[in-house]
């Protein structure tokens, strides 16, 4: 069977980074590559092979390169100038786009001008306002990085570089949903990604890596892991603001996932697709792994110096990894009303017992179920409006009309805007 292509998250520095986030799951991957003490950079030869192979592996005319880390800007701007030149050399008539995820620490005017000139989409990692961001995202000296990240955002805006934000949601910030949403919009983000922080660490003294795969029994959840139900409530609180005020203006990745599912479109995120197996992680030496969250020896597919990306993409191991996501669902998942949108979530998070006692259930299930149930009415309304030819933002006008009607009927009811006040003292006040 031929697949349409693949996504590759390229890590030219491997796990090497210039900050020391307490919760980072990737920093310890250096244990897999002890030679990094001498040379951690992706070589020119590996870079050229990757670019040529990645373009060739795509069936369509649109190719996206995703640069991550570690911290990819540690490679220096000349490395990315070579990236652009090699893409032009091997494009073969295809349209090339670049995305780059960064902590922003090294960005300056030269970097920002380069991103603008070559139309890079830049993802900025930021966990909210200063007091929340700095709890875990610290530099090597133990100082918070928020001020530097804000300076990076200002540079991107100055040079009109398109950017989005990636916010890790853990115990440190899950209780601040509305505050974080308002903050991200205030800094100019119009595309928001909220990533649930779920990690377990091994209790075995002999473990090579302390953060473990789902199948590891001698492990327990880290103290920074987000409580499952609270993650669903975090999303729900933000959704209640977004659906009444920001539809069509602000894009939230998990809301886009829900819209795609309710309108029977192709899944936009591997986490909530029925199968996976074609979203790889490329290490700096050319090693290709099943997934960014499965960079463990048992999930090494091969090396691009011995096999092409296209060959590895169609290998039995890649295919098997992908269909296991569907085939290993617990019975509770199979019977769930929201299977069509969730599909059991990421295999990395399947390490708990289901409500009926089956192993291999997703840790975040309670949160996802709470969120999808919370938004189901609005998603159904949106689907109906879209099917009738209305624009996306029509749902905001419909919900506003409902609120006014409900308020007029019972002015002592709690206002639906979420303020907690009675309607007559909130949105129903006389002007």
């Amino acid at each position: 069977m031929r697949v349409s292509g693949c996504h590759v998250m390229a890590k030219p520095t491997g796990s090497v980074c210039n900050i020391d986030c307490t919760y980072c799951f990737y920093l310890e991957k250096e244990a897999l590559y002890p030679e990094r003490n001498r040379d951690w950079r992706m070589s020119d030869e590996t870079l050229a092979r990757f670019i040529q192979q990645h373009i060739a592996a795509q069936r369509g005319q649109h190719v996206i390169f995703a640069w991550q880390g570690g911290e990819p800007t540690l490679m220096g701007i000349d490395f990315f100038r070579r990236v652009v030149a090699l893409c032009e050399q091997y494009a073969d008539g295809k349209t090339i786009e670049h995305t780059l995820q960064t902590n922003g620490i090294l960005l300056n005017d030269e970097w920002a001008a380069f991103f603008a000139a070559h139309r890079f989409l830049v993802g900025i990692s930021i966990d909210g306002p200063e007091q929340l961001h700095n709890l875990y995202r610290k530099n090597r000296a133990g100082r918070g990085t928020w001020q530097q990240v804000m300076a990076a955002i200002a540079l991107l805006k100055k040079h009109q570089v398109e950017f989005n934000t990636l916010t890790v949601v853990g115990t440190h910030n899950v209780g601040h949903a509305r505050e974080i949403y308002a903050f991200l919009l205030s800094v100019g983000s119009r595309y928001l990604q909220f990533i649930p922080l779920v990690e377990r660490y091994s209790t075995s003294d002999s473990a090579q890596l302390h953060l473990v795969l789902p199948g590891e029994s001698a492990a327990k959840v880290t103290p920074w892991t987000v409580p499952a139900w609270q993650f669903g409530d975090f999303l729900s609180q933000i959704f209640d603001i977004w659906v009444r005020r920001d539809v069509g203006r602000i894009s939230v990745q998990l809301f886009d996932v829900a819209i795609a599912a309710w309108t029977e479109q192709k899944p936009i995120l591997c986490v909530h697709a029925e199968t996976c197996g074609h979203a790889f992680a490329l290490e700096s030496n050319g090693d290709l792994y099943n997934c960014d969250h499965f960079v463990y020896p048992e999930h090494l597919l091969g090396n691009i110096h011995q096999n092409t990306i296209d060959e590895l993409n169609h290998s039995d191991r890649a295919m098997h990894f992908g269909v296991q996501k569907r085939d290993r669902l617990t019975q509770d998942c199979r019977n769930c009303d929201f299977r069509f949108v969730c599909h059991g979530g990421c295999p990395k998070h399947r390490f708990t017992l289901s409500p009926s006692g089956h192993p291999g259930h997703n840790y975040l299930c309670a949160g996802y179920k709470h969120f999808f149930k919370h938004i189901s009415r609005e998603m159904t309304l949106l689907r109906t409006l879209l099917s009738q030819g209305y624009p996306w933002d029509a749902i905001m006008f419909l919900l506003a009309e409902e609120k006014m009607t409900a308020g007029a009927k019972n002015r002592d009811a709690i206002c639906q805007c979420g303020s907690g006040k009675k309607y007559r003292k909130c949105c129903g006040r006389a002007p």
Side-chain angles (χ1 to χ4, degrees):
M1 181 182 72
R2 300 295 294 177
V3 295
S4 60
C6 61
H7 177 79
V8 178
M9 187 179 293
K11 297 173 175 289
T13 69
S15 60
V16 175
C17 189
N18 55 345
I19 65 174
D20 192 17
C21 302
T22 306
Y23 59 57
C24 182
F25 72 94
Y26 214 83
L27 282 177
E28 72 164 8
K29 301 300 182 184
E30 63 183 2
L32 298 176
Y33 296 95
E35 67 273 13
R36 281 198 183 135
N37 292 326
R38 301 185 304 274
D39 186 12
W40 46 267
R41 297 174 181 271
M42 179 178 283
S43 69
D44 288 347
E45 181 186 2
T46 300
L47 176 64
R49 282 179 180 267
F50 165 55
I51 289 176
Q52 184 177 19
Q53 291 181 21
H54 184 54
I55 293 172
Q58 311 310 315
R59 303 278 79 83
Q61 293 299 303
H62 185 211
V63 183
I64 297 177
F65 282 87
W67 305 98
Q68 296 211 11
E71 174 51 43
T73 59
L74 285 172
M75 293 299 296
I77 198 168
D78 286 341
F79 174 86
F80 287 97
R81 290 193 175 106
R82 289 196 295 277
V83 165
V84 171
L86 286 166
C87 284
E88 291 176 354
Q89 179 181 342
Y90 294 117
D92 193 27
K94 296 181 180 180
T95 300
I96 309 295
E97 291 188 18
H98 296 276
T99 68
L100 182 142
Q101 188 68 37
T102 177
N103 57 39
I105 304 302
L106 295 179
L107 299 192
N108 54 24
D109 280 298
E110 185 181 17
W111 273 108
F114 171 81
F115 291 148
H118 298 287
R119 303 178 64 85
F120 273 58
L121 171 61
V122 177
I124 291 287
S125 299
I126 186 165
D127 283 0
E130 186 170 10
Q131 72 277 13
L132 299 176
H133 176 93
N134 283 345
L135 283 172
Y136 285 133
R137 299 191 66 82
K138 302 177 185 293
N139 62 21
R140 297 289 180 180
R143 291 189 289 270
T145 59
W146 188 84
Q147 293 286 352
Q148 292 165 288
V149 177
M150 292 297 291
I153 291 174
L155 278 169
L156 296 175
K157 292 163 71 174
K158 171 186 171 183
H159 289 267
Q160 298 182 315
V161 176
E162 186 178 359
F163 74 95
N164 56 42
T165 50
L166 186 154
T167 300
V168 174
V169 182
T171 53
H172 63 301
N173 59 1
V174 70
H176 301 269
R178 294 184 180 90
E179 180 185 0
I180 289 172
Y181 185 62
F183 166 76
L184 294 174
L185 267 56
S186 74
V187 302
S189 180
R190 295 296 176 263
Y191 183 83
L192 287 61
Q193 299 176 70
F194 295 110
I195 309 299
L197 179 53
V198 180
E199 298 293 345
R200 295 190 308 153
Y201 59 86
S202 175
T203 56
S204 170
D205 293 334
S206 60
Q208 181 184 18
L209 296 174
H210 297 291
L211 298 177
V212 300
L213 282 166
E216 174 62 60
S217 58
K220 58 182 180 180
V221 172
T222 63
W224 49 82
T225 290
V226 65
W229 190 90
Q230 278 190 267
F231 180 63
D233 194 54
F234 175 95
L235 295 173
S236 298
Q237 290 183 47
I238 293 174
F239 179 85
D240 288 345
I241 300 170
W242 174 85
V243 77
R244 289 167 174 80
R245 191 190 72 190
D246 297 325
V247 177
R249 185 175 75 93
I250 305 298
S251 177
V252 179
Q253 187 182 60
L254 281 169
F255 302 169
D256 292 343
V257 166
I259 291 169
W262 255 274
T263 56
E264 299 181 345
Q265 300 175 53
K266 183 179 179 180
I268 65 168
L269 189 66
C270 61
V271 171
H272 295 296
E274 184 177 25
T275 61
C276 56
H278 306 285
F280 306 123
L282 181 76
E283 270 287 337
S284 59
N285 70 341
D287 282 349
L288 195 73
Y289 288 86
N290 277 125
C291 170
D292 181 42
H293 290 289
F294 284 80
V295 178
Y296 295 85
E298 54 267 53
H299 289 283
L300 175 63
L301 290 173
N303 188 287
I304 64 172
H305 290 274
Q306 283 80 49
N307 299 97
T308 68
I309 292 173
D310 191 54
E311 290 170 346
L312 296 172
N313 187 33
H314 291 89
S315 66
D316 290 342
R317 292 187 66 189
M319 296 293 187
H320 180 64
F321 180 86
V323 298
Q324 280 185 317
K325 183 177 193 291
R326 176 196 63 208
D327 295 347
R328 291 187 175 182
L329 287 177
T330 61
Q331 195 59 46
D332 299 71
C333 267
R334 297 179 191 280
N335 297 334
C336 179
D337 291 340
F338 300 109
R339 178 182 174 181
F340 75 100
V341 58
C342 179
H343 291 295
C346 181
K348 177 193 176 184
H349 299 153
R350 296 180 183 179
F351 55 81
T352 62
L353 292 176
S354 71
S356 60
H358 293 90
H361 201 64
N362 196 304
Y363 166 85
L364 290 169
C365 175
Y368 283 141
K369 187 172 287 189
H370 169 57
F371 171 59
F372 294 134
K373 183 178 181 180
H374 182 83
I375 68 173
S376 60
R377 177 178 177 270
E378 286 83 357
M379 284 292 103
T380 302
L381 283 174
L382 181 58
R383 179 181 63 198
T384 301
L385 289 169
L386 292 174
S387 70
Q388 294 175 351
Y390 287 95
W392 291 86
D393 59 2
I395 191 170
M396 295 190 294
F397 297 99
L398 179 61
L399 294 175
E401 185 177 336
E402 285 185 353
K403 184 172 71 172
M404 291 177 63
T405 302
K409 290 181 179 178
N410 186 1
R411 294 180 57 78
D412 284 322
I414 297 299
C415 190
Q416 294 185 21
C417 74
S419 67
K421 299 178 182 179
K422 292 183 178 181
Y423 176 76
R424 61 183 171 81
K425 292 185 176 182
C426 188
C427 295
R429 287 185 301 179

